[in-house]
Amino acid sequence: MKLSGLLPRLQVDLPGVSGPARVERRSDDLLRRARPGDVLIIDHADLDRRTAEALVAADVVAVVNAAPSISGRYPNLGPEVLLAAGVVLVDGVGTGVLHRLKDGTRVRVHEGAVFAGDREIARGTEQTPDSVADLLIEAKAGMSTQLEAFSANTIEFLRRERTLILDGVGVPEVDVSVVGRHVVVVAPGYGHADDLKRLRRYLREYRPVLVGVEGGAETLRAAGFRPDLIVGDPGAISAEALRCGAEVVVPAHLDGHAPGLERIQDLGVGAVTFPASGNPEDLALLLADAHGAELVVTVGFQATLHEFLDRGRLGSNPSTFLTRLRLGSKVLDGAAVVALQRARISTASVLALVLAVLLVAVLALVVTGVADGMLLVLGDAGGSTWTYLRGLFG
C-alpha cells in the first residue's frame, strides 16, 4: 500500500509539464479535439496568431511542433501568443514524432524533450520570449518577399472576383434592414470579446445591425446580444447560435458547393449561400456595404502589418485588401469608436457643470447679502400670485 501511494507522488514531482498527447499533422483538425491539459503534437511551420489563439482558448499545456514555429520567411505572431499565455512551445522535433506517439498517450515535456514514461520520444528546441524575439528580428528580412507575392496574388484575385468587388455582383439578399444603419461585424480575432464589451455604450445608443462571423456569433450571445446575421462555416458555429433567430449566410466555393450546408439543413435552419473566394470576414463587410450600411464597425479584425502578413491569412489577404478599398471611409475599427466616444462630453458631465455653476451662484448671493432681499421679493410675488388665483377661481 505504501509503495502504490508513493507512485503518483513521484510522477507529479517530475519536472516539466505533462498531459495526454493529441497527435495530428493538420493543426486545424487537431483544434477540434483539443481539451484542457492536452499536449498537442503538430506539424505547422510558421505558427500563425489565429491558430495560437485557438490553442490558448483550448487551455493546452504544451505544443510540440515537428516544424519550426518561425521559419524566418516573415515575422509570424503565433509563438509570442503561446508563450505570453504560459504554454510551453518546443520546435523542430521532426516528423518522426507523429508516428512514434499514439494519440492519447500520456507524455511529459521538459527542456525541449518529449518523454513517454522514462523513454525519450523526441527532442527539439524549447522556445523562450528571448529566443522568439531574436527569431522575429531575423524574420523581418523576409517581409519584402511576402509583399511581392501579395502583389501578384492581389492582381489574380481581382481578375477572378472583379464583378463582386467592383459592382457587388453575387451578394445574396437578406431580410434584415441594413440601409442607412450602422453595422457592427464581430470576428473571432485577438481580444475581440474585450473590444465588444467596451462598445456597449455605442451599441445601446445606435442599435446597429449585429453580424457575427463564425466564433463572433458566440461572443455576441455570451455578451447578451442576439446577432441579426451570422456569416461563416456552420461547422464552426454551435447549434444554439445557429438557432438563435439570426439569418445565416454560408460562404460557398465559386462552383456553388457550400461546406457545412448539410448541417444547416439537419438543424432545420434557413440559410443563403455566398459564392466567393474571400474569407468570411470580408464577405460580411461586402454584405453590409452592398445592402446600404451607413457605417461598418469592425471588432476582432486583424489590423497591423505583421498580422496582415501572418501565415493564417496569406491566402485571403488580397480579398481583405480589396474589400477595405471597396468600403473606404465607411469602415471603422471598433477601438477607434471607443476612443471617439470617450472624447465626447457625456450628459453626466454637463449636468455636473450646470450644478456647479448654480452652486457658485447661490453661494455668491448668500455671501453678498443679496439672497435675503431676493427671497423677500420672490415671497411677495408668490403671495400676490396666489391671492390673485384664489380670487379668479374662488
Side-chain angles (χ1 to χ4, degrees):
M1 292 293 293
K2 291 183 179 179
L3 181 60
S4 61
L6 286 172
L7 288 177
R9 223 174 302 165
L10 290 173
Q11 291 177 355
V12 171
D13 292 339
L14 290 173
V17 296
S18 60
R22 301 299 172 204
V23 185
E24 186 74 57
R25 186 178 294 273
R26 289 174 52 85
S27 54
D28 290 344
D29 295 336
L30 189 57
L31 288 174
R32 299 188 182 98
R33 301 192 291 115
R35 296 292 181 270
D38 283 351
V39 174
L40 269 61
I41 314 296
I42 61 174
D43 184 11
H44 190 143
D46 296 319
L47 188 64
D48 59 277
R49 182 170 194 163
R50 177 165 294 183
T51 300
E53 288 169 353
L55 294 172
V56 171
D59 200 20
V60 302
V61 296
V63 174
V64 177
N65 198 346
S69 295
I70 303 178
S71 69
R73 293 190 301 126
Y74 61 94
N76 55 299
L77 306 173
E80 279 188 324
V81 173
L82 290 180
L83 295 181
V87 178
V88 175
L89 174 61
V90 176
D91 271 1
V93 299
T95 56
V97 68
L98 300 169
H99 307 290
R100 289 193 292 270
L101 270 179
K102 291 184 178 180
D103 197 79
T105 301
R106 188 164 188 84
V107 298
R108 180 171 60 91
V109 181
H110 176 58
E111 293 183 346
V114 182
F115 299 91
D118 295 330
R119 185 165 58 99
E120 183 177 302
I121 302 297
R123 179 174 288 274
T125 303
E126 182 171 340
Q127 300 292 359
T128 66
D130 290 338
S131 66
V132 167
D134 292 339
L135 289 171
L136 288 176
I137 292 173
E138 296 175 5
K140 287 183 179 179
M143 290 181 67
S144 59
T145 303
Q146 296 300 315
L147 288 172
E148 290 174 6
F150 163 72
S151 300
N153 291 338
T154 300
I155 294 172
E156 177 59 31
F157 179 84
L158 187 56
R159 287 174 181 166
R160 187 171 62 249
E161 297 279 17
R162 61 181 179 276
T163 56
L164 171 63
I165 297 296
L166 299 179
D167 304 315
V169 175
V171 177
E173 293 295 326
V174 293
D175 294 332
V176 177
S177 177
V178 179
V179 178
R181 297 179 63 187
H182 290 198
V183 175
V184 174
V185 182
V186 181
Y190 181 73
H192 71 290
D194 293 333
D195 290 343
L196 182 62
K197 289 178 182 177
R198 287 190 282 268
L199 278 173
R200 280 188 176 275
R201 178 182 161 195
Y202 165 79
L203 297 176
R204 288 195 302 267
E205 184 174 350
Y206 286 92
R207 300 290 179 183
V209 176
L210 299 178
V211 182
V213 178
E214 296 185 346
E218 313 282 358
T219 304
L220 280 168
R221 296 182 70 249
F225 301 101
R226 184 182 72 83
D228 300 293
L229 286 167
I230 295 176
V231 181
D233 180 358
I237 307 167
S238 70
E240 292 76 13
L242 292 171
R243 287 173 171 155
C244 74
E247 288 192 64
V248 181
V249 179
V250 182
H253 299 157
L254 294 178
D255 61 4
H257 173 66
L261 192 58
E262 297 82 3
R263 183 164 187 260
I264 285 287
Q265 294 169 346
D266 292 341
L267 292 172
V269 178
V272 296
T273 59
F274 193 161
S277 54
N279 61 44
E281 294 96 325
D282 299 334
L283 299 189
L285 295 180
L286 290 171
L287 194 69
D289 179 58
H291 287 286
E294 180 183 7
L295 182 73
V296 181
V297 177
T298 61
V299 178
F301 282 60
Q302 313 298 332
T304 69
L305 179 60
H306 285 182
E307 289 168 331
F308 193 69
L309 293 175
D310 209 4
R311 180 180 185 274
R313 298 175 51 85
L314 287 179
S316 58
N317 276 341
S319 166
T320 299
F321 176 69
L322 293 172
T323 298
R324 291 301 182 109
L325 283 181
R326 167 76 186 181
L327 271 72
S329 59
K330 185 183 290 188
V331 64
L332 191 63
D333 188 78
V337 173
V338 173
L340 289 172
Q341 284 204 311
R342 285 175 181 168
R344 294 173 55 187
I345 299 176
S346 65
T347 304
S349 299
V350 173
L351 290 175
L353 180 62
V354 171
L355 290 174
V357 172
L358 290 175
L359 180 60
V360 170
V362 170
L363 289 174
L365 292 174
V366 172
V367 171
T368 58
V370 178
D372 294 339
M374 289 188 65
L375 290 174
L376 289 174
V377 171
L378 290 173
D380 291 342
S384 300
T385 302
W386 176 248
T387 302
Y388 171 76
L389 291 174
R390 286 182 62 185
L392 187 64
F393 298 101

